[in-house]
Amino acid sequence: MNSLLIGELSPEQPSFEPTKNKELIDEFRELRATVERMGLMKANHVFFLLYLLHILLLDVAAWLTLWVFGTSLVPFLLCAVLLSTVQAQAGWLQHDFGHLSVFSTSTWNHLLHHFVIGHLKGAPASWWNHMHFQHHAKPNCFGKDPDINMHPLFFALGKILSVELGKKKKKYMPYNHQHKYFFLIGPPALLPLYFQWYIFYFVIQRKKWVDLAWMITFYARLFLTYGPFLGLKGVLGLFFLVRFLESHWFVWVTQMNHIPMRIDRDRNMDWVSIQLHATCNVHKSAFNDWFSGHLNFQIEHHLFPTMPRHNYHKVAPLVQSLCAKHGIEYQSKPLLAAFADIIYSLKESGQLWLDAYLHQ
């Protein structure tokens, strides 16, 4: 750390920056200690084992659909839906291992992370780590959170940044219509047209050969198991249909917790405040928990990123009390309302851009 040392404060100088909420940070540290004493940072391994088994069973069911019923349109589409569910749910499970929230040792978490994201999904663990850790450090901070890099090339995000873009007379897209074209270039395109190709560029450019080896096992298994039924063109068609369906699932779930929230440049706020202003929740239910991989508890996940997901609902009342005490809004909404808020926020920021753009 010596290379980072700029200097030392004299005794009479303040030791806390004025942009940061010292009382909130101190109370969060107490909350964190309470959570650890309650055992909420310890994982239930049976939960994660059953979760993995349900993914593997769905994977087998997809293959059996073609084996038993043939390759006509209906079995083909049913197989695609099952495989899309496998991919989405494996995405949530790799997220658990990537956050080191399952095992007490990082070695086992990393190994299972490689297996789930590499072998079950065909993506590199190093790419996910590189992108996701930045997101957690500065969520919704433009220039620091890669999850909002679609601003300003494709979308105008957040009230502040949209007005700023309009005042500078910058227009890369017709942002006042972004709530409409989101349905064309958002959910349908992110995985099949961007992620699917970028991940190979990432591992080759950075020479992540272990990740590449894990990825190859996914594609080898895909062609070996489905090739005899569908042939090369059929397997490719099935694969991109699965990516297309999975992309809708992924985009709606991952954006519902962040896009409607505050998006701005880094204002040097304290870490706890950044997390709370950038996240919102979706109501708990058996379906919502499963469908979103418990990321409906996005507030708790961002405050306790290594907490096993099955404990989010237990810490939620404590987080609500902390927010209420400090006058910070704790948002939780129905699932469909959360989806609608994505579109509403895009429409609002697009209109703000247009008003600023047209203002002389």
Side-chain angles (χ1 to χ4, degrees):
M1 299 292 287
N2 286 336
S3 63
L4 302 177
L5 179 62
I6 298 174
E8 296 183 4
L9 293 172
S10 61
E12 68 274 7
Q13 289 180 307
S15 60
F16 215 83
E17 296 172 273
T19 57
K20 299 181 178 179
N21 189 334
K22 185 177 187 303
E23 184 181 356
L24 175 62
I25 294 176
D26 290 341
E27 291 195 23
F28 175 74
R29 287 172 176 163
E30 293 177 6
L31 174 58
R32 168 80 189 201
T34 300
V35 164
E36 291 180 350
R37 286 194 299 269
M38 293 171 65
L40 298 183
M41 303 304 291
K42 296 179 180 179
N44 180 344
H45 292 156
V46 174
F47 171 88
F48 289 103
L49 175 62
L50 293 175
Y51 204 91
L52 175 60
L53 288 176
H54 112 279
I55 291 171
L56 297 177
L57 287 173
L58 286 170
D59 210 357
V60 172
W63 182 85
L64 286 174
T65 299
L66 296 187
W67 185 64
V68 173
F69 299 105
T71 59
S72 59
L73 181 61
V74 173
F76 181 84
L77 292 178
L78 178 57
C79 175
V81 169
L82 288 170
L83 286 177
S84 300
T85 305
V86 168
Q87 290 300 298
Q89 292 299 323
W92 309 145
L93 183 60
Q94 69 81 23
H95 179 265
D96 298 313
F97 291 117
H99 272 285
L100 311 181
S101 64
V102 180
F103 297 104
S104 57
T105 59
S106 60
T107 302
W108 280 104
N109 282 302
H110 288 314
L111 178 61
L112 269 294
H113 190 211
H114 276 294
F115 171 75
V116 176
I117 195 173
H119 181 66
L120 295 185
K121 287 191 61 61
S126 58
W127 162 76
W128 184 87
N129 290 336
H130 174 73
M131 301 288 286
H132 202 64
F133 293 171
Q134 293 179 74
H135 164 68
H136 269 269
K138 296 284 185 177
N140 281 9
C141 290
F142 178 61
K144 296 187 177 181
D145 179 2
D147 284 9
I148 58 170
N149 278 351
M150 59 276 204
H151 175 95
L153 189 58
F154 295 108
F155 298 99
L157 299 179
K159 299 177 182 179
I160 298 172
L161 295 179
S162 297
V163 171
E164 178 185 291
L165 206 61
K167 288 180 177 179
K168 292 180 179 179
K169 308 302 180 185
K170 291 186 176 181
K171 178 183 179 181
Y172 301 98
M173 294 286 282
Y175 303 123
N176 51 309
H177 296 291
Q178 63 184 2
H179 58 291
K180 302 171 187 174
Y181 65 72
F182 170 79
F183 291 95
L184 298 176
I185 68 172
L190 182 63
L191 268 62
L193 297 184
Y194 177 58
F195 279 0
Q196 183 57 45
W197 309 106
Y198 181 74
I199 56 177
F200 280 99
Y201 168 78
F202 183 93
V203 294
I204 294 172
Q205 193 264 338
R206 296 179 180 241
K207 300 179 180 179
K208 300 292 185 180
W209 307 128
V210 173
D211 277 328
L212 183 60
W214 277 105
M215 293 166 65
I216 289 172
T217 66
F218 166 80
Y219 294 99
R221 179 170 59 90
L222 180 71
F223 281 96
L224 287 173
T225 52
Y226 288 96
F229 296 135
L230 302 172
L232 178 60
K233 291 183 179 179
V235 173
L236 289 175
L238 175 64
F239 173 73
F240 281 104
L241 176 58
V242 168
R243 283 288 183 255
F244 173 78
L245 295 173
E246 179 199 358
S247 188
H248 283 79
W249 193 331
F250 175 80
V251 170
W252 286 104
V253 169
T254 57
Q255 300 309 304
M256 67 183 183
N257 302 118
H258 293 298
I259 291 298
M261 303 305 291
R262 173 175 174 162
I263 300 175
D264 195 1
R265 300 184 185 278
D266 186 3
R267 301 299 180 184
N268 195 34
M269 299 168 66
D270 60 88
W271 183 84
V272 179
S273 295
I274 290 175
Q275 309 304 318
L276 291 173
H277 284 99
T279 53
C280 64
N281 281 3
V282 168
H283 296 339
K284 175 178 173 55
S285 73
F287 176 78
N288 288 353
D289 293 352
W290 175 83
F291 185 76
S292 69
H294 288 84
L295 293 180
N296 50 324
F297 287 96
Q298 192 72 200
I299 297 172
E300 288 71 25
H301 170 59
H302 267 257
L303 290 176
F304 305 96
T306 59
M307 176 181 286
R309 63 158 105 165
H310 51 73
N311 287 333
Y312 291 156
H313 72 282
K314 297 177 182 178
V315 74
L318 302 177
V319 174
Q320 292 178 43
S321 296
L322 180 69
C323 290
K325 181 175 181 180
H326 291 273
I328 300 173
E329 185 179 8
Y330 181 100
Q331 288 192 37
S332 184
K333 60 190 78 169
L335 181 65
L336 295 181
F339 290 164
D341 280 350
I342 298 174
I343 306 305
Y344 174 78
S345 63
L346 289 174
K347 183 177 181 180
E348 182 182 33
S349 58
Q351 187 60 49
L352 287 171
W353 166 82
L354 182 62
D355 292 342
Y357 186 85
L358 297 175
H359 182 72
Q360 300 298 326

